[in-house]
Protein backbone atom coordinates (compact mmCIF):
# COMPACT_ATOMS: atom_id res chain seq x y z
CA UNK A 1 0.00 0.00 0.00
CA UNK A 2 1.22 3.50 -0.79
CA UNK A 3 -0.14 6.99 -0.34
CA UNK A 4 -1.44 8.95 -3.33
CA UNK A 5 -3.18 12.22 -4.02
CA UNK A 6 -6.96 12.28 -4.25
CA UNK A 7 -6.70 14.26 -7.50
CA UNK A 8 -4.86 11.37 -9.20
CA UNK A 9 -6.50 8.39 -7.46
CA UNK A 10 -10.13 8.59 -6.43
CA UNK A 11 -11.48 6.33 -3.70
CA UNK A 12 -14.55 4.14 -4.05
CA UNK A 13 -16.31 2.94 -0.92
CA UNK A 14 -18.17 -0.14 -2.07
CA UNK A 15 -21.40 -1.54 -0.64
CA UNK A 16 -19.41 -3.34 2.08
CA UNK A 17 -17.56 -0.08 2.94
CA UNK A 18 -14.28 -1.43 1.59
CA UNK A 19 -12.11 1.33 0.10
CA UNK A 20 -10.64 0.95 -3.39
CA UNK A 21 -8.09 3.34 -4.89
CA UNK A 22 -9.00 4.00 -8.54
CA UNK A 23 -6.60 5.81 -10.88
CA UNK A 24 -8.13 8.81 -12.64
CA UNK A 25 -8.21 8.13 -16.38
CA UNK A 26 -10.29 9.09 -19.43
CA UNK A 27 -12.31 5.86 -18.98
CA UNK A 28 -12.89 6.43 -15.24
CA UNK A 29 -16.69 6.52 -15.21
CA UNK A 30 -17.31 3.58 -17.57
CA UNK A 31 -14.70 1.64 -15.54
CA UNK A 32 -16.51 2.46 -12.28
CA UNK A 33 -19.81 1.22 -13.73
CA UNK A 34 -18.16 -1.97 -15.00
CA UNK A 35 -16.14 -2.72 -11.87
CA UNK A 36 -18.69 -1.69 -9.23
CA UNK A 37 -22.02 -3.04 -10.59
CA UNK A 38 -23.21 0.30 -12.05
CA UNK A 39 -22.00 1.92 -8.85
CA UNK A 40 -24.83 0.36 -6.83
CA UNK A 41 -24.53 1.34 -3.13
CA UNK A 42 -21.08 2.90 -3.68
CA UNK A 43 -19.68 6.29 -2.71
CA UNK A 44 -17.07 8.06 -4.83
CA UNK A 45 -14.57 10.25 -2.96
CA UNK A 46 -12.97 12.56 -5.52
CA UNK A 47 -11.13 15.86 -5.78
CA UNK A 48 -11.70 18.17 -8.73
CA UNK A 49 -10.14 21.49 -9.70
CA UNK A 50 -12.37 24.00 -11.49
CA UNK A 51 -11.34 27.16 -13.27
CA UNK A 52 -14.64 27.60 -15.15
CA UNK A 53 -18.35 27.18 -14.44
CA UNK A 54 -19.70 23.65 -14.69
CA UNK A 55 -21.07 23.06 -18.19
CA UNK A 56 -24.14 21.18 -16.93
CA UNK A 57 -26.32 20.33 -13.95
CA UNK A 58 -26.28 16.98 -12.12
CA UNK A 59 -28.47 15.05 -9.72
CA UNK A 60 -27.76 12.04 -7.47
CA UNK A 61 -30.91 10.01 -6.68
CA UNK A 62 -29.14 7.46 -4.44
CA UNK A 63 -28.26 9.81 -1.58
CA UNK A 64 -26.93 13.14 -0.34
CA UNK A 65 -23.65 14.44 -1.76
CA UNK A 66 -21.07 16.11 0.49
CA UNK A 67 -18.75 18.85 -0.80
CA UNK A 68 -15.62 20.11 0.99
CA UNK A 69 -13.92 23.27 -0.27
CA UNK A 70 -10.11 22.99 -0.28
CA UNK A 71 -9.27 26.23 -2.13
CA UNK A 72 -10.84 29.05 -4.11
CA UNK A 73 -14.49 30.04 -4.31
CA UNK A 74 -17.68 29.04 -6.09
CA UNK A 75 -21.39 29.64 -6.01
CA UNK A 76 -23.26 26.34 -5.76
CA UNK A 77 -26.69 26.51 -7.35
CA UNK A 78 -29.43 24.12 -6.25
CA UNK A 79 -32.80 23.67 -7.94
CA UNK A 80 -35.33 23.61 -5.10
CA UNK A 81 -39.10 23.85 -5.52
CA UNK A 82 -38.65 24.97 -9.13
CA UNK A 83 -36.30 27.85 -8.25
CA UNK A 84 -32.53 28.24 -8.26
CA UNK A 85 -31.09 28.77 -4.78
CA UNK A 86 -27.51 30.11 -4.71
CA UNK A 87 -25.11 29.22 -1.91
CA UNK A 88 -21.78 31.00 -1.55
CA UNK A 89 -19.06 28.37 -1.15
CA UNK A 90 -16.05 30.56 -0.47
CA UNK A 91 -14.45 29.71 2.87
CA UNK A 92 -11.77 27.02 2.78
CA UNK A 93 -12.77 24.08 4.95
CA UNK A 94 -16.50 24.70 4.45
CA UNK A 95 -18.73 21.73 3.75
CA UNK A 96 -22.04 21.63 1.93
CA UNK A 97 -24.61 18.85 1.80
CA UNK A 98 -26.49 18.62 -1.48
CA UNK A 99 -29.71 16.75 -0.71
CA UNK A 100 -30.61 13.53 -2.53
CA UNK A 101 -32.24 14.07 -5.95
CA UNK A 102 -31.44 17.82 -6.00
CA UNK A 103 -30.22 19.21 -9.31
CA UNK A 104 -27.10 21.32 -8.81
CA UNK A 105 -24.30 23.11 -10.64
CA UNK A 106 -21.49 25.53 -9.80
CA UNK A 107 -20.44 28.98 -10.93
CA UNK A 108 -16.71 29.39 -10.28
CA UNK A 109 -15.74 32.69 -8.66
CA UNK A 110 -12.06 31.83 -8.18
CA UNK A 111 -10.22 28.69 -9.33
CA UNK A 112 -11.22 26.13 -6.74
CA UNK A 113 -10.55 22.61 -5.52
CA UNK A 114 -13.43 20.64 -4.07
CA UNK A 115 -13.61 17.17 -2.55
CA UNK A 116 -16.84 15.34 -3.38
CA UNK A 117 -18.35 12.36 -1.55
CA UNK A 118 -20.90 11.21 -4.08
CA UNK A 119 -23.45 8.40 -4.07
CA UNK A 120 -22.99 7.88 -7.80
CA UNK A 121 -25.61 5.26 -8.61
CA UNK A 122 -28.12 6.64 -11.11
CA UNK A 123 -26.49 10.06 -11.43
CA UNK A 124 -28.09 12.20 -14.12
CA UNK A 125 -26.75 15.18 -16.07
CA UNK A 126 -28.65 17.84 -17.99
CA UNK A 127 -27.89 21.10 -19.75
CA UNK A 128 -30.74 22.64 -17.72
CA UNK A 129 -32.51 20.96 -14.79
CA UNK A 130 -36.18 20.06 -14.92
CA UNK A 131 -38.17 22.77 -13.12
CA UNK A 132 -41.05 20.60 -11.99
Amino acid sequence: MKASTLSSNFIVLDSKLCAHSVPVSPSLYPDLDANFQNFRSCILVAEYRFDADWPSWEMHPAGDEILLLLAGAAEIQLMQNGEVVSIQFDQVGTTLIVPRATWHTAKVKETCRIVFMTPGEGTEHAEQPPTA
Side-chain angles (χ1 to χ4, degrees):
M1 178 185 304
K2 69 177 195 171
S4 64
T5 63
L6 191 54
S7 60
S8 64
N9 285 277
F10 293 169
I11 297 169
V12 174
L13 287 174
D14 67 20
S15 61
K16 295 179 182 171
L17 297 180
C18 293
H20 306 266
S21 180
V22 180
V24 176
S25 72
S27 63
L28 174 70
Y29 289 100
D31 291 348
L32 291 176
D33 283 342
N35 296 327
F36 296 96
Q37 302 166 339
N38 291 320
F39 226 62
R40 186 171 49 244
S41 300
C42 294
I43 302 292
L44 179 65
V45 181
E47 177 188 336
Y48 284 98
R49 180 183 180 275
F50 302 101
D51 55 14
D53 296 348
W54 294 6
S56 64
W57 291 69
E58 64 181 25
M59 185 272 295
H60 312 291
D64 299 343
E65 180 177 46
I66 301 166
L67 283 60
L68 167 64
L69 184 65
L70 297 180
E75 175 184 300
I76 306 299
Q77 296 184 340
L78 308 176
M79 180 61 72
Q80 295 184 316
N81 300 317
E83 295 186 22
V84 175
V85 175
S86 295
I87 299 169
Q88 297 308 310
F89 199 50
D90 55 8
Q91 292 185 353
V92 171
T94 300
T95 58
L96 175 66
I97 298 171
V98 177
R100 171 193 311 261
T102 299
W103 285 94
H104 57 285
T105 192
K107 303 296 180 188
V108 175
K109 303 297 183 189
E110 176 185 326
T111 298
C112 57
R113 289 178 30 235
I114 302 172
V115 171
F116 296 84
M117 288 150 265
T118 307
E121 180 181 359
T123 293
E124 295 182 36
H125 294 89
E127 190 172 315
Q128 292 294 319
T131 55

Coordinates of all heavy atoms in Angstrom, one line a residue, residues 35-109:
N35 N -16.8 -2.1 -13.0 CA -16.1 -2.7 -11.9 C -16.9 -2.7 -10.6 O -16.6 -3.4 -9.6 CB -14.8 -2.1 -11.6 CG -13.8 -2.3 -12.8 OD1 -13.9 -3.4 -13.5 ND2 -13.0 -1.4 -13.1
F36 N -17.9 -1.8 -10.5 CA -18.7 -1.7 -9.2 C -20.2 -1.8 -9.5 O -21.0 -1.1 -8.9 CB -18.3 -0.4 -8.5 CG -16.9 -0.3 -8.1 CD1 -15.9 0.3 -8.9 CD2 -16.5 -0.9 -6.9 CE1 -14.6 0.3 -8.5 CE2 -15.2 -0.9 -6.5 CZ -14.2 -0.2 -7.3
Q37 N -20.6 -2.7 -10.4 CA -22.0 -3.0 -10.6 C -22.9 -1.8 -10.8 O -23.8 -1.6 -10.0 CB -22.6 -3.9 -9.5 CG -21.8 -5.2 -9.3 CD -22.1 -5.9 -8.0 OE1 -22.6 -5.3 -7.0 NE2 -21.8 -7.1 -7.9
N38 N -22.5 -1.0 -11.8 CA -23.2 0.3 -12.1 C -23.2 1.2 -10.8 O -24.2 2.0 -10.7 CB -24.6 0.0 -12.6 CG -24.5 -0.5 -14.0 OD1 -23.7 -0.1 -14.8 ND2 -25.4 -1.5 -14.2
F39 N -22.2 1.1 -10.0 CA -22.0 1.9 -8.8 C -23.1 1.8 -7.8 O -23.3 2.6 -7.0 CB -21.8 3.4 -9.3 CG -20.7 4.0 -8.6 CD1 -19.4 3.6 -8.8 CD2 -20.9 5.1 -7.7 CE1 -18.3 4.1 -8.1 CE2 -19.8 5.6 -7.0 CZ -18.5 5.2 -7.2
R40 N -23.8 0.6 -7.8 CA -24.8 0.4 -6.8 C -24.3 0.4 -5.4 O -23.3 -0.3 -5.1 CB -25.5 -1.0 -7.1 CG -26.7 -1.2 -6.2 CD -27.6 -2.4 -6.6 NE -26.8 -3.6 -6.8 CZ -26.8 -4.3 -8.0 NH1 -27.4 -3.8 -9.1 NH2 -26.1 -5.4 -8.1
S41 N -24.9 1.2 -4.6 CA -24.5 1.3 -3.1 C -23.1 1.7 -2.9 O -22.5 1.4 -1.8 CB -24.8 0.0 -2.4 OG -26.2 -0.3 -2.5
C42 N -22.5 2.4 -3.8 CA -21.1 2.9 -3.7 C -21.0 4.4 -3.5 O -21.9 5.1 -3.9 CB -20.3 2.5 -4.9 SG -20.0 0.8 -5.2
I43 N -20.0 4.9 -2.9 CA -19.7 6.3 -2.7 C -18.3 6.6 -3.4 O -17.4 5.9 -3.1 CB -19.6 6.7 -1.2 CG1 -20.8 6.3 -0.4 CG2 -19.2 8.1 -1.0 CD1 -22.0 7.1 -0.8
L44 N -18.3 7.6 -4.2 CA -17.1 8.1 -4.8 C -16.5 9.2 -4.0 O -17.2 10.2 -3.8 CB -17.3 8.5 -6.3 CG -16.1 9.0 -7.0 CD1 -15.1 7.8 -7.2 CD2 -16.5 9.5 -8.4
V45 N -15.3 9.1 -3.6 CA -14.6 10.2 -3.0 C -13.6 10.8 -4.0 O -12.7 10.0 -4.4 CB -13.9 9.8 -1.7 CG1 -13.2 11.0 -1.0 CG2 -14.9 9.1 -0.7
A46 N -13.8 12.0 -4.4 CA -13.0 12.6 -5.5 C -12.6 14.0 -5.3 O -13.4 14.7 -4.6 CB -13.8 12.4 -6.8
E47 N -11.5 14.4 -5.8 CA -11.1 15.9 -5.8 C -11.1 16.4 -7.2 O -10.5 15.7 -8.1 CB -9.8 16.0 -5.1 CG -9.3 17.5 -5.1 CD -7.9 17.7 -4.7 OE1 -7.4 16.8 -3.9 OE2 -7.3 18.7 -5.1
Y48 N -11.7 17.5 -7.4 CA -11.7 18.2 -8.7 C -11.2 19.6 -8.6 O -11.5 20.3 -7.6 CB -13.1 18.2 -9.4 CG -13.5 16.9 -9.9 CD1 -14.3 16.0 -9.2 CD2 -13.1 16.5 -11.2 CE1 -14.7 14.8 -9.8 CE2 -13.5 15.3 -11.7 CZ -14.3 14.4 -11.0 OH -14.7 13.2 -11.5
R49 N -10.6 20.1 -9.6 CA -10.1 21.5 -9.7 C -11.0 22.1 -10.8 O -11.1 21.6 -11.9 CB -8.7 21.6 -10.1 CG -8.1 23.0 -10.2 CD -6.6 22.9 -10.6 NE -6.1 24.2 -10.7 CZ -6.2 24.9 -11.8 NH1 -6.8 24.5 -12.9 NH2 -5.6 26.1 -11.9
F50 N -11.5 23.3 -10.5 CA -12.4 24.0 -11.5 C -11.8 25.4 -11.7 O -11.6 26.1 -10.7 CB -13.8 24.1 -11.0 CG -14.5 22.8 -10.7 CD1 -14.6 22.3 -9.4 CD2 -15.0 22.0 -11.8 CE1 -15.2 21.1 -9.2 CE2 -15.6 20.8 -11.5 CZ -15.7 20.3 -10.2
D51 N -11.7 25.8 -13.0 CA -11.3 27.2 -13.3 C -12.4 27.8 -14.2 O -12.3 28.9 -14.6 CB -10.0 27.3 -13.9 CG -9.8 26.4 -15.1 OD1 -10.7 25.9 -15.7 OD2 -8.6 26.3 -15.5
A52 N -13.5 27.1 -14.4 CA -14.6 27.6 -15.1 C -15.9 27.0 -14.6 O -15.9 26.0 -13.9 CB -14.5 27.2 -16.6
D53 N -17.0 27.7 -14.9 CA -18.3 27.2 -14.4 C -18.6 25.8 -15.0 O -18.1 25.4 -16.0 CB -19.5 28.1 -15.0 CG -19.4 29.5 -14.5 OD1 -18.6 29.7 -13.5 OD2 -20.1 30.3 -15.0
W54 N -19.3 25.0 -14.2 CA -19.7 23.7 -14.7 C -20.5 23.8 -16.0 O -21.4 24.7 -16.0 CB -20.5 22.9 -13.7 CG -19.8 22.6 -12.4 CD1 -18.5 22.9 -12.0 CD2 -20.3 21.8 -11.3 NE1 -18.2 22.5 -10.8 CE2 -19.3 21.7 -10.3 CE3 -21.5 21.2 -11.1 CZ2 -19.5 21.1 -9.1 CZ3 -21.7 20.5 -9.9 CH2 -20.7 20.4 -8.9
P55 N -20.3 22.9 -16.9 CA -21.1 23.1 -18.2 C -22.5 22.5 -18.1 O -23.3 22.7 -19.1 CB -20.2 22.3 -19.2 CG -19.5 21.3 -18.3 CD -19.3 21.9 -17.0
S56 N -22.8 21.8 -17.0 CA -24.1 21.2 -16.9 C -24.6 21.1 -15.5 O -23.8 21.5 -14.6 CB -24.1 19.8 -17.6 OG -23.3 18.9 -16.8
W57 N -25.8 20.6 -15.3 CA -26.3 20.3 -14.0 C -26.2 18.8 -13.7 O -26.2 18.1 -14.7 CB -27.8 20.8 -13.9 CG -28.0 22.3 -13.9 CD1 -27.8 23.1 -15.0 CD2 -28.4 23.1 -12.8 NE1 -28.0 24.4 -14.7 CE2 -28.5 24.4 -13.3 CE3 -28.8 22.8 -11.5 CZ2 -28.9 25.5 -12.5 CZ3 -29.2 23.9 -10.7 CH2 -29.3 25.2 -11.3
E58 N -26.3 18.4 -12.4 CA -26.3 17.0 -12.1 C -27.2 16.7 -10.9 O -27.5 17.7 -10.2 CB -24.9 16.4 -11.9 CG -24.2 17.0 -10.7 CD -22.8 16.5 -10.5 OE1 -22.1 16.0 -11.4 OE2 -22.3 16.5 -9.3
M59 N -27.6 15.5 -10.8 CA -28.5 15.0 -9.7 C -28.1 13.6 -9.3 O -27.9 12.8 -10.2 CB -29.9 15.1 -10.2 CG -31.0 14.9 -9.2 SD -31.4 13.1 -9.1 CE -32.1 12.8 -10.7
H60 N -28.1 13.4 -8.0 CA -27.8 12.0 -7.5 C -29.0 11.5 -6.7 O -29.2 11.9 -5.6 CB -26.5 12.1 -6.5 CG -25.4 12.9 -7.1 ND1 -24.7 12.4 -8.2 CD2 -24.9 14.1 -6.8 CE1 -23.8 13.3 -8.5 NE2 -23.9 14.4 -7.7
P61 N -29.7 10.5 -7.3 CA -30.9 10.0 -6.7 C -30.7 9.0 -5.5 O -31.6 8.7 -4.8 CB -31.6 9.3 -7.8 CG -30.6 8.9 -8.8 CD -29.5 10.0 -8.7
A62 N -29.4 8.5 -5.4 CA -29.1 7.5 -4.4 C -28.8 8.0 -3.1 O -28.7 7.2 -2.1 CB -28.0 6.6 -4.9
G63 N -28.6 9.3 -2.9 CA -28.3 9.8 -1.6 C -27.7 11.2 -1.6 O -27.5 11.8 -2.7
D64 N -27.5 11.8 -0.5 CA -26.9 13.1 -0.3 C -25.5 13.1 -0.8 O -24.7 12.2 -0.6 CB -27.0 13.6 1.1 CG -28.4 13.7 1.7 OD1 -29.4 13.7 0.9 OD2 -28.5 13.8 2.9
E65 N -25.1 14.3 -1.4 CA -23.6 14.4 -1.8 C -23.0 15.4 -0.8 O -23.7 16.4 -0.5 CB -23.6 14.9 -3.2 CG -22.1 15.1 -3.7 CD -22.0 15.6 -5.1 OE1 -22.8 16.5 -5.5 OE2 -21.2 15.0 -5.8
I66 N -21.8 15.2 -0.4 CA -21.1 16.1 0.5 C -19.9 16.8 -0.3 O -19.2 16.1 -1.0 CB -20.5 15.4 1.7 CG1 -21.7 14.7 2.5 CG2 -19.7 16.3 2.6 CD1 -21.2 13.7 3.5
L67 N -19.8 18.1 -0.2 CA -18.8 18.8 -0.8 C -17.9 19.5 0.3 O -18.4 19.9 1.3 CB -19.3 20.0 -1.7 CG -19.9 19.6 -3.0 CD1 -21.1 18.7 -2.9 CD2 -20.3 20.9 -3.7
L68 N -16.6 19.5 0.1 CA -15.6 20.1 1.0 C -14.7 21.0 0.2 O -14.0 20.5 -0.7 CB -14.8 19.0 1.7 CG -13.5 19.5 2.5 CD1 -13.9 20.4 3.6 CD2 -12.7 18.3 3.0
L69 N -14.7 22.3 0.5 CA -13.9 23.3 -0.3 C -12.5 23.3 0.3 O -12.2 23.6 1.4 CB -14.5 24.7 -0.2 CG -13.8 25.8 -1.0 CD1 -13.9 25.5 -2.5 CD2 -14.4 27.1 -0.6
L70 N -11.5 23.0 -0.6 CA -10.1 23.0 -0.3 C -9.4 24.3 -0.6 O -8.5 24.7 0.0 CB -9.4 21.9 -1.0 CG -9.8 20.4 -0.7 CD1 -8.9 19.4 -1.5 CD2 -9.7 20.1 0.8
A71 N -9.9 25.0 -1.7 CA -9.3 26.2 -2.1 C -10.2 26.9 -3.1 O -11.1 26.3 -3.7 CB -7.9 25.9 -2.9
G72 N -10.1 28.3 -3.2 CA -10.8 29.0 -4.1 C -12.2 29.4 -3.6 O -12.5 29.4 -2.4
A73 N -13.1 29.6 -4.6 CA -14.5 30.0 -4.3 C -15.4 29.7 -5.5 O -15.0 29.8 -6.6 CB -14.5 31.5 -4.0
A74 N -16.6 29.3 -5.1 CA -17.7 29.0 -6.1 C -19.0 29.4 -5.5 O -19.2 29.6 -4.3 CB -17.7 27.6 -6.5
E75 N -20.0 29.5 -6.4 CA -21.4 29.6 -6.0 C -22.1 28.3 -6.4 O -22.1 28.0 -7.6 CB -22.0 30.8 -6.7 CG -23.5 31.0 -6.5 CD -24.0 32.1 -7.3 OE1 -23.6 33.3 -7.2 OE2 -24.9 31.9 -8.1
I76 N -22.6 27.6 -5.5 CA -23.3 26.3 -5.8 C -24.7 26.7 -5.9 O -25.3 27.3 -5.1 CB -23.1 25.3 -4.6 CG1 -21.6 25.1 -4.3 CG2 -23.8 24.0 -5.0 CD1 -20.8 24.6 -5.4
Q77 N -25.3 26.2 -7.1 CA -26.7 26.5 -7.4 C -27.5 25.2 -7.2 O -27.1 24.2 -7.8 CB -26.8 27.1 -8.7 CG -26.2 28.5 -8.9 CD -26.4 29.1 -10.2 OE1 -26.8 28.5 -11.2 NE2 -26.2 30.4 -10.2
L78 N -28.5 25.3 -6.5 CA -29.4 24.1 -6.3 C -30.8 24.4 -6.8 O -31.3 25.6 -6.6 CB -29.6 23.8 -4.8 CG -28.3 23.6 -3.9 CD1 -28.7 23.4 -2.5 CD2 -27.5 22.5 -4.4
M79 N -31.4 23.5 -7.5 CA -32.8 23.7 -7.9 C -33.7 23.1 -6.8 O -33.7 21.9 -6.6 CB -33.0 22.9 -9.3 CG -34.4 23.1 -9.8 SD -35.0 24.7 -10.1 CE -34.0 25.1 -11.6
Q80 N -34.4 24.0 -6.2 CA -35.3 23.6 -5.1 C -36.7 24.2 -5.3 O -36.8 25.5 -5.5 CB -34.8 24.0 -3.7 CG -33.5 23.3 -3.4 CD -32.9 23.6 -2.1 OE1 -32.9 24.7 -1.6 NE2 -32.4 22.6 -1.4
N81 N -37.7 23.4 -5.3 CA -39.1 23.9 -5.5 C -39.2 24.7 -6.8 O -39.9 25.7 -6.8 CB -39.6 24.6 -4.3 CG -39.6 23.8 -3.1 OD1 -40.0 22.6 -3.1 ND2 -39.1 24.4 -2.0
G82 N -38.5 24.3 -7.9 CA -38.6 25.0 -9.1 C -37.9 26.3 -9.2 O -38.0 27.0 -10.2
E83 N -37.1 26.6 -8.2 CA -36.3 27.8 -8.2 C -34.8 27.6 -7.9 O -34.5 26.6 -7.2 CB -36.8 28.8 -7.2 CG -38.2 29.3 -7.5 CD -38.7 30.4 -6.5 OE1 -37.8 31.1 -5.9 OE2 -39.9 30.6 -6.4
V84 N -34.0 28.4 -8.5 CA -32.5 28.2 -8.3 C -32.2 29.0 -7.0 O -32.5 30.1 -6.8 CB -31.7 28.8 -9.4 CG1 -30.2 28.8 -9.1 CG2 -32.0 28.1 -10.7
V85 N -31.6 28.2 -6.0 CA -31.1 28.8 -4.8 C -29.6 28.8 -4.9 O -29.0 27.8 -5.1 CB -31.6 27.9 -3.6 CG1 -30.9 28.4 -2.3 CG2 -33.1 27.9 -3.5
S86 N -29.0 30.0 -4.6 CA -27.5 30.1 -4.7 C -26.9 30.1 -3.3 O -27.4 30.8 -2.4 CB -27.1 31.4 -5.4 OG -27.6 31.4 -6.7
I87 N -25.8 29.3 -3.2 CA -25.1 29.2 -1.9 C -23.7 29.6 -2.2 O -23.0 29.0 -3.0 CB -25.2 27.8 -1.3 CG1 -26.7 27.4 -1.1 CG2 -24.3 27.7 -0.1 CD1 -26.9 26.0 -0.8
Q88 N -23.2 30.6 -1.4 CA -21.8 31.0 -1.5 C -20.9 29.9 -0.9 O -21.1 29.6 0.3 CB -21.6 32.4 -0.9 CG -22.3 33.5 -1.6 CD -22.1 33.5 -3.1 OE1 -21.0 33.5 -3.6 NE2 -23.2 33.6 -3.9
F89 N -20.0 29.4 -1.6 CA -19.1 28.4 -1.2 C -17.7 28.9 -1.3 O -17.0 28.7 -2.3 CB -19.3 27.1 -2.0 CG -18.8 25.8 -1.5 CD1 -19.1 25.4 -0.2 CD2 -18.1 25.0 -2.3 CE1 -18.7 24.2 0.3 CE2 -17.6 23.8 -1.8 CZ -18.0 23.4 -0.5
D90 N -17.3 29.8 -0.3 CA -16.1 30.6 -0.5 C -15.1 30.6 0.7 O -14.2 31.4 0.8 CB -16.4 32.0 -0.9 CG -17.4 32.7 0.1 OD1 -17.7 32.1 1.1 OD2 -17.9 33.7 -0.3
Q91 N -15.4 29.8 1.7 CA -14.5 29.7 2.9 C -13.8 28.3 2.9 O -14.5 27.3 3.0 CB -15.2 30.0 4.2 CG -15.7 31.4 4.3 CD -16.3 31.7 5.6 OE1 -16.5 30.8 6.5 NE2 -16.6 33.0 5.8
V92 N -12.5 28.3 2.8 CA -11.8 27.0 2.8 C -12.1 26.2 4.0 O -12.2 26.8 5.1 CB -10.2 27.3 2.7 CG1 -9.5 26.0 2.9 CG2 -9.9 27.9 1.4
G93 N -12.4 25.0 3.8 CA -12.8 24.1 4.9 C -14.3 24.0 5.1 O -14.7 23.1 5.9
T94 N -15.0 24.8 4.4 CA -16.5 24.7 4.4 C -17.0 23.4 3.8 O -16.5 23.0 2.8 CB -17.1 25.9 3.7 OG1 -16.6 27.1 4.4 CG2 -18.6 25.9 3.8
T95 N -18.1 22.9 4.4 CA -18.7 21.7 3.8 C -20.1 22.1 3.3 O -20.7 23.1 3.9 CB -18.8 20.5 4.7 OG1 -19.5 20.9 5.9 CG2 -17.4 20.0 5.1
L96 N -20.7 21.4 2.4 CA -22.0 21.6 1.9 C -22.7 20.3 1.6 O -22.0 19.4 1.0 CB -22.0 22.5 0.7 CG -23.4 22.7 0.0 CD1 -24.3 23.5 0.9 CD2 -23.2 23.4 -1.4
I97 N -23.9 20.1 2.1 CA -24.6 18.9 1.8 C -25.6 19.2 0.7 O -26.5 20.0 0.9 CB -25.3 18.3 3.1 CG1 -24.3 17.9 4.1 CG2 -26.2 17.1 2.7 CD1 -24.9 17.6 5.5
V98 N -25.5 18.5 -0.4 CA -26.5 18.6 -1.5 C -27.5 17.5 -1.3 O -27.1 16.3 -1.4 CB -25.8 18.5 -2.9 CG1 -26.9 18.6 -4.0 CG2 -24.8 19.6 -3.0
P99 N -28.7 17.8 -1.0 CA -29.7 16.8 -0.7 C -29.9 15.8 -1.9 O -29.8 16.2 -3.1 CB -31.0 17.5 -0.4 CG -30.5 18.9 0.0 CD -29.3 19.1 -0.9
R100 N -30.3 14.6 -1.6 CA -30.6 13.5 -2.5 C -31.6 14.1 -3.6 O -32.5 14.8 -3.2 CB -31.3 12.4 -1.8 CG -31.9 11.3 -2.7 CD -32.8 10.4 -1.9 NE -32.2 9.8 -0.7 CZ -31.6 8.6 -0.6 NH1 -31.6 7.8 -1.6 NH2 -31.1 8.3 0.5
A101 N -31.3 13.7 -4.8 CA -32.2 14.1 -5.9 C -32.4 15.6 -6.2 O -33.4 16.0 -6.8 CB -33.6 13.4 -5.8
T102 N -31.4 16.4 -5.8 CA -31.4 17.8 -6.0 C -30.5 18.2 -7.2 O -29.3 17.8 -7.1 CB -31.0 18.6 -4.7 OG1 -31.9 18.3 -3.7 CG2 -31.0 20.1 -5.0
W103 N -31.0 18.8 -8.2 CA -30.2 19.2 -9.3 C -29.3 20.3 -8.8 O -29.7 21.2 -8.1 CB -31.1 19.7 -10.5 CG -31.8 18.6 -11.2 CD1 -33.0 18.1 -11.0 CD2 -31.2 17.8 -12.2 NE1 -33.2 17.0 -11.8 CE2 -32.1 16.8 -12.6 CE3 -30.0 17.8 -12.9 CZ2 -31.9 15.9 -13.6 CZ3 -29.7 16.9 -13.9 CH2 -30.7 16.0 -14.3
H104 N -28.1 20.3 -9.2 CA -27.1 21.3 -8.8 C -26.0 21.5 -9.9 O -25.7 20.7 -10.7 CB -26.5 20.9 -7.5 CG -25.8 19.6 -7.4 ND1 -26.5 18.4 -7.4 CD2 -24.5 19.3 -7.4 CE1 -25.6 17.4 -7.4 NE2 -24.4 17.9 -7.4
T105 N -25.4 22.7 -9.8 CA -24.3 23.1 -10.6 C -23.5 24.1 -9.9 O -23.8 24.5 -8.7 CB -24.8 23.7 -12.0 OG1 -23.7 23.8 -12.9 CG2 -25.5 25.1 -11.8
A106 N -22.4 24.6 -10.5 CA -21.5 25.5 -9.8 C -21.1 26.6 -10.8 O -20.8 26.4 -11.9 CB -20.3 24.8 -9.2
K107 N -21.0 27.8 -10.2 CA -20.4 29.0 -10.9 C -19.1 29.3 -10.2 O -19.1 29.6 -9.0 CB -21.4 30.2 -10.9 CG -22.8 29.9 -11.5 CD -22.7 29.6 -12.9 CE -24.1 29.3 -13.5 NZ -24.0 28.8 -14.9
V108 N -18.0 29.2 -10.9 CA -16.7 29.4 -10.3 C -16.4 30.9 -10.2 O -16.4 31.6 -11.1 CB -15.6 28.7 -11.1 CG1 -14.2 28.9 -10.5 CG2 -15.9 27.2 -11.1
K109 N -16.1 31.3 -8.9 CA -15.7 32.7 -8.7 C -14.2 32.9 -8.7 O -13.7 33.9 -9.0 CB -16.3 33.1 -7.3 CG -17.8 33.0 -7.2 CD -18.5 33.9 -8.2 CE -20.0 33.8 -8.0 NZ -20.7 34.4 -9.0

